[in-house]
Amino acid sequence: MAANKMNELESTDQVGIREVSTNTDDLTDAFGSVGAGSSSGVGVSTSVYHSNAYGSGAIGQLASNGYSSSSSGYHKYVAKMVTDRHAAEYNMRHKNRGMALIFNHEHFDVPTLKSRAGTNVDCENLTRVLKQLDFEVNVYKDCRYKEILSTIEYASSQNHEDNDCILIAILSHGEMGYIYAKDMQYKLDNIWSLFTANHCPTLAGKPKLFFIQACQGDRLDTGVTLQRGRTETDGDSSMSYKIPIHADFLIAYSTIPGFYSWRNTTRGSWFMQSLCAELAANGKRLDMLTLLTFVCQRVAVDFESCTPDTPEMHQQKQIPCITTMLTRILLFSDKQKSPTGRN
């Protein structure tokens, strides 16, 4: 490898530094592999689009699951009130910030799935910034589906009374509405549904955050060039109340439904690079939705695929997709430490 190429590969972004991607090792997190050969010339297997009466996205899957579980009869669920009824912000003054589970997938048993070079960079960066935000971080590498489900079931069965929230990140290959474990694909609602207020009452009224780095299809976004124009111009909060079982969820996808999600083999995915940079710089200063707006800005403006040897994949763009059912402002305020170093 030429010296200048080696320098390019070894020059990695540091968290907090904004830089337009110029590395030629940009890949997608589709369930197929670029260059595998296809009639479309893109070289990626075509996604199978799964749908139901509610759609195949985050809201559709949650709605479908919630409907089927509640239509059989009336249930009365009760959970502890952790925030005043009309409070503007979530109560982030519990003893602990909460659990953060990262499912990092690099290698797969499925023959059509290529290894995801660069995902370990994402995992390391995300682990670091979440610890800075006082999360208890646990990383799970190359898990099979049964292992993922067992881990999630265990997490949802725990007592979260002393926790502010829970965060789950999945870094893998995917297609619309589905994501891959090491051995098979699964619906994302198999994960989310275990944390609804009726299934996990100690997280009722608390933020449940999901970050998904994976493709949602095989469409490409060529982008639009913007040019500067010629002319410029200078109740009573103590009373009990009910909430929907799907309230207080936030699902942040790396890309919009139907489209590729890009990942650099040395610097990590565009979405995770941007998310980690914002969390590191503004994680305790900006509320979550404002922060994610700037994550979208970073991905949309600062990145463009660089694959000159594959012209149809060259100079492509990406935009994250945020699905929010949050009901209050979410801000990771500082945790008060006791003299012994414990919360």
Side-chain angles (χ1 to χ4, degrees):
M1 184 178 292
N4 60 344
K5 181 64 174 177
M6 284 292 293
N7 291 336
E8 180 181 349
L9 289 175
E10 293 173 357
S11 176
T12 59
D13 289 344
Q14 296 181 358
V15 173
I17 303 298
R18 303 182 69 166
E19 180 177 345
V20 176
S21 176
T22 58
N23 193 301
T24 59
D25 296 322
D26 286 324
L27 302 175
T28 67
D29 273 328
F31 67 100
S33 56
V34 175
S38 72
S39 59
S40 65
V42 175
V44 182
S45 302
T46 303
S47 298
V48 178
Y49 284 56
H50 305 269
S51 61
N52 54 41
Y54 297 90
S56 58
I59 295 177
Q61 290 181 7
L62 283 169
S64 175
N65 182 77
Y67 180 81
S68 61
S69 64
S70 61
S71 59
S72 59
Y74 175 79
H75 299 282
K76 183 176 181 180
Y77 300 105
V78 180
K80 181 180 178 181
M81 185 193 303
V82 296
T83 307
D84 289 343
R85 183 170 189 161
H86 296 294
E89 297 185 13
Y90 283 104
N91 176 10
M92 305 299 281
R93 300 181 301 277
H94 295 88
K95 180 180 179 181
N96 308 312
R97 179 72 75 210
M99 300 169 60
L101 311 180
I102 303 176
F103 294 95
N104 180 29
H105 295 278
E106 182 179 13
H107 304 296
F108 300 84
D109 291 339
V110 183
T112 56
L113 300 182
K114 296 184 67 175
S115 294
R116 299 180 60 255
T119 190
N120 291 331
V121 177
D122 283 344
C123 186
E124 292 167 3
N125 287 338
L126 186 59
T127 298
R128 182 174 64 254
V129 296
L130 291 180
K131 287 183 177 179
Q132 291 172 358
L133 295 175
D134 304 306
F135 278 96
E136 177 189 338
V137 182
N138 294 282
V139 177
Y140 303 90
K141 181 72 181 291
D142 292 340
C143 291
R144 291 175 170 81
Y145 173 63
K146 287 186 177 180
E147 296 170 329
I148 295 173
L149 192 58
S150 175
T151 302
I152 292 297
E153 288 175 343
Y154 175 78
S156 68
S157 70
Q158 298 303 292
N159 187 337
H160 298 270
E161 283 189 1
D162 292 333
N163 299 341
D164 292 334
C165 61
I166 192 168
L167 185 151
I168 295 175
I170 303 175
L171 319 176
S172 188
H173 285 300
E175 54 183 302
M176 193 168 175
Y178 287 76
I179 200 162
Y180 275 89
K182 182 179 178 66
D183 58 338
M184 61 179 286
Q185 68 174 203
Y186 62 94
K187 285 187 176 182
L188 292 172
D189 73 320
N190 294 353
I191 305 297
W192 303 323
S193 62
L194 293 173
F195 294 101
T196 54
N198 56 327
H199 289 131
C200 188
T202 56
L203 282 175
K206 300 178 181 181
K208 292 161 278 283
L209 312 175
F210 295 82
F211 295 95
I212 312 299
Q213 168 55 47
C215 282
Q216 289 206 73
D218 60 1
R219 296 174 63 185
L220 293 167
D221 185 342
T222 58
V224 174
T225 301
L226 299 180
Q227 295 181 339
R228 190 182 299 276
R230 293 184 178 182
T231 304
E232 297 182 30
T233 59
D234 300 330
D236 185 355
S237 61
S238 64
M239 294 177 61
S240 63
Y241 61 97
K242 292 177 67 175
I243 61 171
I245 61 172
H246 294 118
D248 308 304
F249 277 84
L250 181 143
I251 302 103
Y253 287 99
S254 58
T255 190
I256 62 175
F259 282 78
Y260 280 126
S261 182
W262 290 90
R263 167 177 40 82
N264 189 276
T265 57
T266 57
R267 300 176 181 179
S269 63
W270 299 358
F271 176 60
M272 281 295 159
Q273 285 186 62
S274 302
L275 177 64
C276 291
E278 282 297 330
L279 287 175
N282 300 307
K284 292 186 177 181
R285 187 176 68 87
L286 299 178
D287 71 273
M288 178 55 69
L289 292 184
T290 301
L291 187 147
L292 286 174
T293 298
F294 290 129
V295 170
C296 289
Q297 181 187 101
R298 285 177 181 265
V299 175
V301 175
D302 294 349
F303 290 89
E304 184 175 287
S305 67
C306 187
T307 59
D309 293 336
T310 311
E312 62 269 27
M313 309 291 283
H314 189 48
Q315 295 182 322
Q316 300 296 312
K317 302 293 290 183
Q318 178 182 324
I319 184 70
C321 180
I322 314 302
T323 299
T324 177
M325 285 80 84
L326 296 181
T327 58
R328 311 178 196 279
I329 294 170
L330 171 56
L331 183 62
F332 294 122
S333 54
D334 282 319
K335 284 293 179 189
Q336 297 297 322
K337 303 292 183 179
S338 67
T340 59
R342 298 181 180 179
N343 285 332

